[in-house]
Amino acid sequence: MTSTALTLFNSLTRQPEPFVPVHPGEARVYSCGPTVYNYPHIGNMRAYVFADVLGRVLTWKGYRLTHVINITDVGHLTDDADQGEDKMEKMAAARSQSIWDIAEHYTQAYWQDVAALNIRQPAQWTIATDYIDRMIAFAERIAPRHCYELDSGLYFDVSTVADYGRLARAHTDEGEGRIEAVEGKRNAADFAIWRKTPAGETRQMEWESPWGRGAPGWHLECSVMSGEVLGFPFDIHTGGIDHREIHHPNEIAQNQAFCDCGGLGEAANSGARIWMHNNFLVERSGKMSKSSGEFLRLQLLIDRGYHPLAYRMLCLQAHYRSELEFSWDGLGAALVRLKRLLTAARNVVDAAADGAALADAQAAVTHPKLTPLLEKFDAALSDDLNTPVALTVLEEAVAVKKVDAAQKGALVAAMLSALGLPLAEREALRIRPIAAQIGEDEIEAALTRRKAARADKDFALSDALRDELAAKGVEVMDGDPLGWEWKLG
Ligand code: AMP
Ligand code: ZN
């Protein structure tokens, strides 16, 4: 019944391509994970909502998914190229804390956001520092033919592989102007795969290697962890669109060197068949950054009273390849939409069917009003994960009348699961006034009294109650079609 073939946009070819798994029936996916020197901002979390949706769609299409996400706890410099300090070392020094404690704290914080956004657990979280020996072995294998040593480290010579920079659409001969030259580099785009600790210094994180004491380069880490766990070539590599410019071209060059592969006319030579990138979440004020002091964390949204799934909804409403602008109004609208959807879904989905798979829906859905919806939904997701369209089809399915209730329930449950929207109580989706000067019970009580006053046509009292709430930061909403009575002013 779900006849549409899955098509995904490959950044390497800049084209939509049919998904053809390397191992029949399986899908192996690697996602670049967070650098755990600070809390993730909600832009970072967009990358993982996207990767989660990709995983869920692969499951929906019947593939056995192996998803790996890494945790970068060493090696990511303050500049994506070779300049600057290690982000972890810098934060540890600023806080006078051990890197290991910093990494542990922010990894836990990231995992909390993962759970709050209903992002599924991957098959494996790979921690970069667990793979140091394999990084050294990988570097030893490619060094003789592809690397050279300078005082500051072991460098990868990008001219030794075919088609370097194709992913970024950059040409090495034009040079990458923004990369400051390290003395002795053969090409501007060459990058360190092992960074030696400068003589007379010690780093908190450093290891012995054939090139001296030091630490791995960030790009090396992802090549090693992805190849080690999934095997080259695997199916899909994901990351934010910034990784298309430096990090992923460098991973690809290393993978080509490691596999002794030719040019990138053959996508699998890159180490993965498909490279996918989510576009940025932006603020009107500019690019979101977690190295700046103040930034948008999921916890801030929660503190302002928004359920975290409202942010997931905001992400789903945009195509992952479109830039998405964050605004509090937009978040509020996403929450209303989520609430309308889940409140209605609660009434049609049998709790037992929550999290149902496509197979169940396919088997269950035969009603002539429901099968076209199933097909439309499948076609949307199969079209490079078109979640904005899939959401509207889900809303149609929730609203459809005069159909078999069990079939409708099974269909809605499967659709919710494909988008990662869990059934939730209406109560749980209320805006919670953590930041307001008044408790929820008090608001509810005032609203009940106000309702009674209006029924008695005592508009003076009704207005007084409204003003009282407004003084405490709560705006009363009359006539909301979903019966949502108030919001934080
Ligand atoms: P980082 O922890 O800096 O390595 O970033 C984690 C992930 O978030 C990477 O895949 C980045 O490409 C992605 N990312 C960073 N900023 C944004 C943003 N504003 N919107 C969407 N994704 C982002
Ligand atoms: Zn990576």
Side-chain angles (χ1 to χ4, degrees), residues 32-37 41-48 72 76 87 218 238-243 278-282 287-290:
C32 281
T35 307
V36 285
Y37 71 102
H41 58 57
I42 55 173
N44 297 131
M45 296 313 294
R46 187 183 185 197
Y48 307 108
T72 296
H76 193 169
K87 293 184 181 194
W218 175 43
T238 80
I241 196 153
D242 51 332
H243 290 349
N278 63 279
N279 211 323
F280 266 24
L281 179 79
V282 295
K287 187 182 165 218
M288 219 163 271
S289 160
K290 67 175 166 180

Side-chain angles (χ1 to χ4, degrees), residues 32 222 247 251:
C32 281
C222 282
H247 182 45
E251 267 189 70

Side-chain angles (χ1 to χ4, degrees), residues 151-314:
D151 287 346
S152 53
L154 182 69
Y155 284 80
F156 191 97
D157 180 342
V158 300
S159 69
T160 62
V161 292
D163 303 330
Y164 174 77
R166 173 174 290 204
L167 181 68
R169 295 291 187 266
H171 302 286
T172 37
D173 50 18
E174 285 168 14
E176 293 190 15
R178 64 184 216 84
I179 301 179
E180 282 175 49
V182 169
E183 187 134 11
K185 273 212 298 196
R186 295 179 188 165
N187 312 286
D190 290 354
F191 55 92
I193 68 171
W194 187 264
R195 293 173 302 116
K196 296 186 201 175
T197 305
E201 281 184 28
T202 42
R203 287 182 179 141
Q204 276 199 46
M205 279 188 173
E206 55 181 14
W207 295 264
E208 292 300 337
S209 83
W211 315 281
R213 227 166 3 100
W218 175 43
H219 318 302
L220 179 65
E221 299 176 4
C222 282
S223 279
V224 170
M225 290 185 277
S226 60
E228 181 79 25
V229 182
L230 298 177
F232 292 131
F234 54 92
D235 294 297
I236 305 172
H237 194 309
T238 80
I241 196 153
D242 51 332
H243 290 349
R244 214 176 60 177
E245 308 310 317
I246 296 176
H247 182 45
H248 290 169
N250 291 352
E251 267 189 70
I252 289 173
Q254 294 166 155
N255 298 350
Q256 282 174 281
F258 185 80
C259 301
D260 212 0
C261 278
L264 300 176
E266 184 64 55
N269 288 349
S270 70
R273 280 205 178 152
I274 300 186
W275 293 76
M276 294 178 74
H277 296 96
N278 63 279
N279 211 323
F280 266 24
L281 179 79
V282 295
E283 279 183 281
R284 205 158 297 174
S285 57
K287 187 182 165 218
M288 219 163 271
S289 160
K290 67 175 166 180
S291 48
S292 62
E294 268 278 294
F295 60 85
L296 280 171
R297 283 173 55 194
L298 193 63
Q299 188 58 46
L300 179 67
L301 274 49
I302 297 169
D303 288 346
R304 291 238 183 138
Y306 294 89
H307 194 284
L309 288 176
Y311 179 64
R312 185 179 178 101
M313 188 66 163
L314 189 74

Side-chain angles (χ1 to χ4, degrees), residues 423-470:
L423 282 180
E425 297 295 338
R426 182 177 183 280
E427 285 303 304
L429 293 169
R430 271 191 187 292
I431 283 209
R432 297 191 170 273
I434 295 169
Q437 311 141 26
I438 180 172
E440 200 169 357
D441 293 351
E442 216 181 315
I443 299 173
E444 297 295 326
L447 287 173
T448 308
R449 274 190 289 142
R450 184 165 175 270
K451 214 178 260 173
R454 283 160 72 91
D456 293 346
K457 302 216 175 339
D458 184 350
F459 296 111
L461 178 59
S462 157
D463 287 351
L465 287 164
R466 178 192 197 111
D467 294 346
E468 217 172 277
L469 284 169

Side-chain angles (χ1 to χ4, degrees), residues 295-356:
F295 60 85
L296 280 171
R297 283 173 55 194
L298 193 63
Q299 188 58 46
L300 179 67
L301 274 49
I302 297 169
D303 288 346
R304 291 238 183 138
Y306 294 89
H307 194 284
L309 288 176
Y311 179 64
R312 185 179 178 101
M313 188 66 163
L314 189 74
C315 292
L316 295 175
Q317 289 180 163
H319 191 266
Y320 75 90
R321 287 198 289 119
S322 307
E323 205 169 75
L324 172 59
E325 185 173 309
F326 178 79
S327 72
W328 292 101
D329 283 350
L331 185 67
L335 179 60
V336 172
R337 188 172 183 196
L338 180 70
K339 190 164 150 169
R340 170 191 277 129
L341 175 64
L342 295 187
T343 305
R346 262 244 78 81
N347 300 328
V348 302
V349 177
D350 176 352
D354 191 6

